Amino acid sequence: MTAKATTGRVTRRRVRTRANLLDAAFGVFAAKGFGRVSIEEVCEAAGYSRGAFYSNFDSLDELFFALYEQRAGLIAEQVSASLAADGPGLDVPAAVERVTEALLLDRDWLLVKTDFLVHAARAPEVARTLLEHRTRLRNTVADRLARAGGHTALPAVLGGIDGAAHAVVAAYDGVTTQLLLDRDVVRARAWLGRLLTALLTDGGAGR
């Protein structure tokens, strides 16, 4: 009984330590950029020793990888929840508003994601993870559009559901690139809302 209780405490403590390291690393990476951060800086931000770091991660690359997967998974869940709120049909303007709220509030995430993109461009094995995340995000959008089929018509020029999902992600990429430069979240959200509404309704909402 005592051994089990001790093991449980150790496991919970390790999970908490790992989570704290990831949270601290997120802030440090967003502030300084991957490639400019040391293990010591992450440990100092989290309040842990190098021993605690190495009991959870083999390297800074591994931590960065885990951090990206954690945050990317959260974003995919937020988008899925945002798109699921309308029932069988799809209220495009309302869904777009919810999605832009979920995607655009965290500029720090965009900085970390951009770092990961640059890192992945030079490392094929890392690129596979990024491509998998983007595929999951597109699939989330495509699945929701498919469930709205028969209720919400898509513009023919997009070439179907998969094309529409690609267009949604491409619009997000373009708008968030501008957001990183001008830091204008309000303007970025408005632009993304207009672009997605136009894409998904053929610009015909007002006809």
Side-chain angles (χ1 to χ4, degrees):
M1 181 77 84
T2 302
K4 287 183 179 179
T6 301
T7 300
R9 285 197 299 272
V10 170
T11 300
R12 287 194 297 272
R13 184 166 65 245
R14 182 167 184 176
V15 168
R16 186 167 61 249
T17 298
R18 182 182 174 89
N20 289 341
L21 283 165
L22 288 170
D23 286 344
F26 181 77
V28 176
F29 286 141
K32 300 188 68 173
F34 183 70
R36 298 182 180 86
V37 172
S38 67
I39 290 174
E40 288 76 12
E41 286 173 301
V42 172
C43 291
E44 182 180 353
Y48 292 121
S49 66
R50 286 175 64 92
F53 179 94
Y54 283 115
S55 71
N56 287 276
F57 303 102
D58 290 334
S59 65
L60 208 55
D61 276 11
E62 184 184 339
L63 181 148
F64 191 53
F65 199 81
L67 174 64
Y68 182 84
E69 289 197 313
Q70 178 199 64
R71 297 284 171 155
L74 176 61
I75 293 295
E77 289 173 9
Q78 289 173 331
V79 172
S80 181
S82 297
L83 291 173
D86 289 324
L90 183 64
D91 181 342
V92 171
V96 163
E97 183 176 356
R98 291 193 300 270
V99 168
T100 56
E101 286 285 345
L103 287 174
L104 280 173
L105 287 178
D106 193 349
R107 186 173 178 274
D108 283 349
W109 159 247
L110 298 177
L111 288 167
V112 172
K113 187 180 78 145
T114 301
D115 270 350
F116 196 82
L117 173 62
V118 173
H119 184 47
R122 295 185 174 92
E125 70 281 4
V126 180
R128 282 193 290 273
T129 294
L130 181 58
L131 289 170
E132 287 169 5
H133 162 63
R134 291 175 69 81
T135 298
R136 286 201 305 272
L137 192 57
R138 285 197 305 269
N139 287 344
T140 295
V141 175
D143 288 348
R144 183 62 185 94
L145 294 175
R147 283 186 281 115
H151 301 274
T152 305
L154 293 172
V157 71
L158 294 177
I161 289 170
D162 287 342
H166 273 82
V168 167
V169 174
Y172 170 64
D173 286 342
V175 170
T176 52
T177 297
Q178 182 66 28
L179 172 61
L180 283 173
L181 298 174
D182 65 21
R183 301 170 180 257
D184 191 338
V185 176
V186 173
R187 184 182 182 196
R189 184 177 292 117
W191 266 111
L192 185 59
R194 291 182 200 130
L195 282 172
L196 294 184
T197 300
L199 279 169
L200 298 177
T201 63
D202 207 12
R207 289 183 300 183

